[in-house]
Structure formats: C-alpha cells, structure tokens
Amino acid sequence: MSKPSFISELSIPVIAAPLFLISGPKLVIECCKNGIVGTFPALNQRTTEGFEEWVVQIKSELKSFENGTGKKPAPFGVNLIVHHSNPRLQADLEICIKHEVPLIITSLGAVSDLVESVHNYGGLVFHDIIKKRHAEKAADAGVDGLILVAAGAGGHAGTLNPMPLVAEIKKIFDKTIILSGCISNGRDVAAAMQMGADIAYMGTRFINTNESKASDDYKNMIINSGAGDIVYTAVVSGVPASFLRPSLEKMGISEKMWGGSPSFTLKS
C-alpha cells in the first residue's frame, strides 16, 4: 500500500502531537513552516466558532508563508474526540469539512461515516490505538493511518512495548504507521523508523517551546522531571493515563490515592 506523499516531503518524519490546552495556532504554524506536521485538539478552543477561527488563521498564515517563500509547508491536523461524551463532534467535523483540514486525528472511536466524510474532500484520517483489537476496528472503518500509542506515551497511553506493538500491527495493517511513546530526539525517531514506523509522534518535546500555550510552571516541571516521575494511573479520569508525579501532587492526588487505582510507575 502506498503511503501519503507528504511523508517524503517532511524535513523530518515527525508529527507534533495534539496537546490538550497546550497546542494552538502558533505552535501548529511554526511546526508546519519547518517541515513538521503540526496538530491541535479541536477542544483546545472552547467553542466551535473559536475553533473555526483557529483553522482559518492557520490556513491563512501557511498560505502566506508559501506565497512569500515558495516553500510548501507541512500539512496540519486536528484531533477530534469521537465519543458520545463530546457534544461538539458533529459541529467541529463540519468545520473540518468546510475548510478541508488535511489531516484528522481521531481518538476514542473509529467511525466509517466520519472517515468517508473526510475522504470525500481528499483528507486523511489517522486513528489512535493502544492494542490490536482497536487497530482492527479502525482498519475496518477505513482509516489511512494508525497512531500506535505505546507504553510511556503521555496522556491515555497503552502498556505495550513499542517493538512488539509495531510488529503485531504491521501484520494486519499495510497503511501508514505512526509510533508514539517516549520519543524525544533524533535517535528516538531513527529507532522508530527501524522498528517499522513511517512517522514518529512527539508531544512532550514541543511543550517547552516559545509557541506552546503551557505555563512557565508547567514548562519548569517538564525540565525538572525524569522518567521515574511518570505515573500511569486511572485515578484522574477513570481511564489509565500517564501523568507526571508533581502534577498529580499539585492536584492533591497522593501516591496512596493513585496506588489504589490500576496503576504503575515507570521507573528509570
């Protein structure tokens, strides 16, 4: 199966992952200008109207960049939460269709009707998965790529080591493979490619940028934390996810509390 043509045009094979409350137009635009796929969650804008304003801003500035430099920017993407708990899904999807957002990243649900709607205007759909069963459902829905959220990834990550996860998924899926989980530098990107991924998915690396919407306190926490501070727990949302220990403690969540949920700490 042929891969999307934009992959070979990237400066490095990296997607800047959509970061809740952190990714915004500035970060997306600068990523795309520099040959990296920039993305953001639609819900980072608190209304659909505001979300559309962001999409228009990104498209306008990237077009101006291309006209002014003659250099084609990388495509940008929007993360949609495909779950009944997201009341904005249909409205936000309609904005993506209206403005022909090049890449849609879906989470918590792979729906063939949504995929077809994006394909109708020439867009691509990449879907988050943490296990084979999710990959099979997404493949049946017709997605163009799978984002393998392996152990160590931020947010709602899986528990599988990336090596067997990539190998297992490649047996059943011959389209684009994107690998997520503790990828922070060029060596990590190269390792992901060696494992069989087509693109690396990096989130944390982009938090401590000038364009990030993260607070200085959050950026300092990233700098001062290590692998031993990553806690995998369901205590926050009911779904297991990776958090930094200082952020949990700041919320008043103690080790005793997260220790009572299905969790473990990733030791360095």
Side-chain angles (χ1 to χ4, degrees), residues 82-252:
V82 185
H83 191 267
H84 61 79
S85 63
N86 177 15
R88 276 179 42 188
L89 173 61
Q90 189 57 42
D92 289 350
L93 174 60
E94 289 173 4
I95 297 301
C96 293
I97 295 170
K98 175 182 176 181
H99 295 284
E100 299 188 349
V101 173
L103 173 62
I104 302 298
I105 295 171
T106 53
S107 304
L108 300 179
V111 178
S112 58
D113 288 347
L114 182 152
V115 174
E116 183 179 359
S117 295
V118 175
H119 284 172
N120 284 341
Y121 68 78
L124 299 172
V125 178
F126 291 171
H127 183 69
D128 286 346
I129 66 100
I130 63 172
K131 59 182 65 175
K132 182 180 178 181
R133 178 170 60 84
H134 297 161
E136 291 171 336
K137 289 184 176 180
D140 288 342
V143 301
D144 304 284
L146 294 175
I147 301 167
L148 280 52
V149 188
H156 293 100
T159 59
L160 294 176
N161 181 288
M163 294 182 187
L165 182 58
V166 170
E168 184 172 57
I169 300 306
K170 284 181 73 69
K171 291 178 181 178
I172 64 166
F173 189 77
D174 63 356
K175 298 179 183 179
T176 305
I177 297 290
I178 306 99
L179 181 60
S180 170
C182 296
I183 298 176
S184 297
N185 54 46
R187 292 189 303 273
D188 299 338
V189 173
M193 301 303 102
Q194 286 292 92
M195 276 187 266
D198 299 295
I199 315 176
Y201 205 62
M202 299 172 67
T204 303
R205 174 58 62 184
F206 294 96
I207 294 175
N208 284 50
T209 60
N210 292 331
E211 295 79 16
S212 163
K213 295 172 72 66
S215 67
D216 289 340
D217 285 346
Y218 193 89
K219 292 179 179 180
N220 288 330
M221 180 180 64
I222 296 291
I223 293 170
N224 295 323
S225 296
D229 293 307
I230 300 174
V231 177
Y232 187 75
T233 178
V235 74
V236 174
S237 66
V239 179
S242 296
F243 301 91
L244 285 177
R245 180 189 300 265
S247 68
L248 292 174
E249 292 173 343
K250 188 173 182 178
M251 293 167 61

Side-chain angles (χ1 to χ4, degrees), residues 42-90:
L43 295 177
N44 273 8
Q45 243 296 351
R46 311 318 286 172
T47 65
T48 294
E49 293 76 18
F51 166 56
E52 183 173 22
E53 291 174 2
W54 278 13
V55 171
V56 170
Q57 178 185 351
I58 291 167
K59 289 186 65 178
S60 175
E61 293 199 30
L62 291 181
K63 186 63 176 177
S64 294
F65 170 78
E66 183 173 5
N67 291 339
T69 65
K71 179 181 177 182
K72 184 179 180 181
F76 75 97
V78 167
N79 178 216
L80 297 178
I81 303 301
V82 185
H83 191 267
H84 61 79
S85 63
N86 177 15
R88 276 179 42 188
L89 173 61
Q90 189 57 42

